[in-house]
Amino acid sequence: MYQLLTLTTPEWTDTVIHHIDDFLIDHASCEKKASGMAMSLVSHYPDRAPLLTAMIDLAIEELQHFRQVVKILQQRQLIPQADQKDEYINQLRKTFRKGSNEYLLDRLLIASIVEARGYERFTLLAKTIQEPQLKQFYQQISTSEKRHYLLFLELCEHYFPTEIIHSRLNELLQIEASIITRLPLRPALH
């Protein structure tokens, strides 16, 4: 386990609580994209059995989360929207290195960091939100996000030496902290 270098501010939580419908629409999109990311790893690494199995399971779970968020949207008479560019993810993707091993390590570590940020933010939301249905939902989702961020770390450990993982993880955590502090405040996961 590791700690994110910058914690989410209370202003983010306030923004989300005051614009929860917008946040839910963004959350649905994030779950759909997370499922797609897992399937992308399946497509790129079919020869790595532990990764393949884990990503198939993850893609299904993320799609189930998407379905859950869509049900909440429908209960609130909201409609999922077209996916928007996620500046947080786009900036993190720019850190991917070339070379097959470096690229795989970066993809796994960044996926772990993204899930860790989701875990942190969904936990904050679950503690703050007053609607019982959403409180319970975000408690469950935060548990899943924690499992996911640890899963990506375990996959790194399966394929790479510990010292290489820790060195690159520290670099990426610093980059993530810089990105998250520069982004404008909005009712979105990232």
Side-chain angles (χ1 to χ4, degrees), residues 86-94 110 114 179 183 190:
D86 188 328
E87 193 59 31
Y88 172 79
I89 299 295
N90 289 339
Q91 287 186 38
L92 284 172
R93 284 178 147 179
K94 291 178 184 177
I110 288 172
V114 170
I179 292 168
L183 291 174
H190 308 122

Side-chain angles (χ1 to χ4, degrees), residues 15-190:
T15 299
V16 169
I17 295 296
H18 289 99
H19 303 278
I20 192 66
D21 289 348
D22 294 329
F23 178 80
L24 287 165
I25 290 168
D26 176 73
H27 181 188
S29 179
C30 289
E31 296 292 355
K32 183 175 45 167
K33 288 189 247 182
S35 181
M37 182 276 305
M39 288 308 296
S40 173
L41 285 167
V42 165
S43 296
H44 284 93
Y45 302 102
D47 57 329
R48 296 182 186 249
L51 179 64
L52 178 71
T53 302
M55 290 302 100
I56 290 170
D57 292 343
L58 181 63
I60 293 167
E61 184 178 354
E62 299 286 21
L63 201 54
Q64 289 170 338
H65 292 166
F66 172 67
R67 181 178 58 198
Q68 289 175 301
V69 180
V70 168
K71 284 183 182 180
I72 293 169
L73 291 176
Q74 290 171 335
Q75 290 169 356
R76 297 167 89 88
Q77 298 182 342
L78 300 170
I79 298 170
Q81 302 295 310
D83 294 340
Q84 302 294 314
K85 289 185 179 181
D86 188 328
E87 193 59 31
Y88 172 79
I89 299 295
N90 289 339
Q91 287 186 38
L92 284 172
R93 284 178 147 179
K94 291 178 184 177
T95 66
F96 288 167
R97 296 172 295 171
K98 296 194 186 317
S100 63
N101 284 334
E102 292 84 0
Y103 184 73
L104 175 59
L105 178 62
D106 288 356
R107 283 190 81 174
L108 294 174
L109 287 175
I110 288 172
S112 177
I113 292 168
V114 170
E115 296 287 343
R117 182 61 68 189
Y119 166 61
E120 181 224 16
R121 287 188 165 186
F122 288 141
T123 300
L124 286 172
L125 195 53
K127 289 177 182 176
T128 309
I129 201 159
Q130 297 300 309
E131 293 180 53
Q133 177 195 17
L134 291 180
K135 181 180 274 303
Q136 181 180 13
F137 175 66
Y138 282 112
Q139 287 168 341
Q140 293 169 350
I141 289 289
S142 68
T143 301
S144 294
E145 297 292 301
K146 182 178 182 180
R147 258 188 309 99
H148 298 168
Y149 103 74
L150 294 174
L151 168 66
F152 283 109
L153 271 184
E154 289 169 15
L155 288 167
C156 286
E157 291 165 359
H158 183 79
Y159 295 110
F160 301 98
T162 303
E163 61 276 2
I164 291 174
I165 296 168
H166 287 245
S167 174
R168 185 61 175 158
L169 177 60
N170 288 333
E171 291 172 7
L172 292 172
L173 285 170
Q174 290 174 17
I175 292 167
E176 192 271 351
S178 175
I179 292 168
I180 205 76
T181 56
R182 288 191 322 253
L183 291 174
L185 197 59
R186 61 191 192 102
L189 184 55
H190 308 122

